[in-house]
Amino acid sequence: MVGSIVMTLMLAAIMVIPIGLMIALGVVVYKDAKAHHMSAGLWTAVAILAPNFIGVIIYLVVRSNQEKIYTCSNCGVDVKEDYNMCPNCKSVFEKICHVCKRAINNDVAYCPYCGTEVDEAEQVQTATKVSKKTNIVKPLAIIGGIFLAFALILFVGMFSMAIASGEFNNSTSVSVMSYEVSMGEHLKAGFKYNEGRDSIKLDRQAGEVVGLEGVMNVTKGNITLDIFNPKGEKVYTEKYEASDVEQPVNIQLEAQDSGKYKVALTISKASGSYDIRGN
């Protein structure tokens, strides 16, 4: 009962949290795009619909190439970088030469552009251009952090439930810390909580010996060893059950037919290792 409730909550979180994060991402991009006089709706759709945050990356690249926007410190209206005067409240951003009308520093005696002597009575700065910055990096970092935390919690939760339910001990689909190597007439593997098959083929003439030697170490489950003749008929079988000691493998079988004899190992929910050579 408790397990089903937990599973239901996890499934609900899998559906709800990603949707919530995408909505938050859309809101952040929409506000930022609107503040930069970009197509807010279009870029919001790109950021949400493009997979793997590719849309957000593209938006940030395009946004970085946009003209900087400033605001008038006096009235708050948006102004461009090359404005010397606010078009709304007529506040002067920089001292202006009365002849060439170009911006000059407050402490110069002569205009550096036209050489006119600067009159102290000329227009002086009455406001400043304030850079209009919208910090999109911080909210994106928060959203990304929440997403990673959610993914980590989800992984840990599912892993814990799998262990609690015995999935890693009984599953036919989960293999943990397993490796297998088959080289020529040599079978070697170490495995943990695994299920599968391994095999080699020994080419023999009729009357020759199909021989195997090595060790089998099964600590959990069982391994079945079968030998098939070139016709596919099973001519030998042996099962190795769980044991705390290594079990020797020493099999000598006279080949009745010429061709390749298949030596097959079937691992059944087992842990252990084997090292078998054909001779």
Side-chain angles (χ1 to χ4, degrees), residues 15-278:
M15 297 178 62
V16 174
I17 293 181
I19 294 175
L21 291 175
M22 295 307 293
I23 293 175
L25 178 64
V27 171
V28 170
V29 172
Y30 180 86
K31 290 184 176 181
D32 188 80
K34 191 173 182 179
H36 285 77
H37 301 290
M38 300 170 66
S39 180
L42 174 61
W43 283 112
T44 301
V46 171
I48 293 177
L49 299 179
N52 302 322
F53 297 101
I54 294 177
V56 177
I57 296 174
I58 295 174
Y59 169 72
L60 292 176
V61 172
V62 175
R63 172 185 180 270
S64 65
N65 295 323
Q66 295 295 305
E67 182 182 9
K68 290 184 178 180
I69 301 296
Y70 297 84
T71 58
C72 173
S73 63
N74 185 50
C75 66
V77 169
D78 289 354
V79 293
K80 292 186 178 181
E81 187 175 10
D82 59 349
Y83 283 10
N84 289 330
M85 179 180 290
C86 176
N88 182 58
C89 66
K90 295 186 178 181
S91 294
V92 179
F93 300 130
E94 296 168 295
K95 191 173 184 177
I96 306 297
C97 173
H98 71 280
V99 175
C100 66
K101 306 301 181 183
R102 300 183 71 172
I104 56 178
N105 293 331
N106 288 325
D107 56 354
V108 298
Y110 295 90
C111 175
Y113 302 105
C114 66
T116 302
E117 186 176 3
V118 176
D119 187 349
E120 293 183 359
E122 291 183 56
Q123 277 190 319
V124 296
Q125 177 179 323
T126 59
T128 58
K129 286 180 289 189
V130 181
S131 178
K132 188 176 183 180
K133 296 181 179 179
T134 54
N135 189 358
I136 192 175
V137 176
K138 185 175 181 179
L140 287 181
I142 294 174
I143 293 173
I146 295 174
F147 179 82
L148 291 176
F150 166 69
L152 179 61
I153 293 172
L154 181 63
F155 173 79
V156 172
M158 294 182 68
F159 187 79
S160 300
M161 290 183 65
I163 293 177
S165 63
E167 179 180 350
F168 287 127
N169 294 331
N170 301 296
S171 173
T172 61
S173 60
V174 177
S175 175
V176 181
M177 296 170 55
S178 66
Y179 64 89
E180 295 186 8
V181 180
S182 299
M183 300 175 293
E185 297 183 351
H186 183 197
L187 288 175
K188 182 178 181 180
F191 49 91
K192 185 175 183 181
Y193 305 145
N194 197 14
E195 180 158 321
R197 290 181 173 83
D198 199 0
S199 65
I200 56 172
K201 290 184 178 180
L202 309 176
D203 197 357
R204 295 292 184 268
Q205 299 295 321
E208 293 182 346
V209 174
V210 180
L212 297 175
E213 61 181 12
V215 292
M216 188 77 68
N217 181 21
V218 185
T219 59
K220 182 179 177 65
N222 61 76
I223 295 180
T224 302
L225 185 152
D226 296 308
I227 300 178
F228 299 88
N229 64 19
K231 299 177 182 178
E233 301 168 338
K234 186 185 297 187
V235 294
Y236 184 89
T237 186
E238 186 169 346
K239 180 175 288 188
Y240 299 87
E241 303 285 353
S243 172
D244 292 329
V245 296
E246 291 184 341
Q247 303 171 61
V249 176
N250 188 2
I251 299 171
Q252 303 291 321
L253 179 69
E254 183 179 343
Q256 299 295 322
D257 302 283
S258 298
K260 293 184 178 181
Y261 283 73
K262 180 180 179 182
V263 179
L265 297 178
T266 302
I267 306 165
S268 180
K269 302 173 185 176
S271 300
S273 63
Y274 53 84
D275 190 343
I276 304 174
R277 297 177 182 271

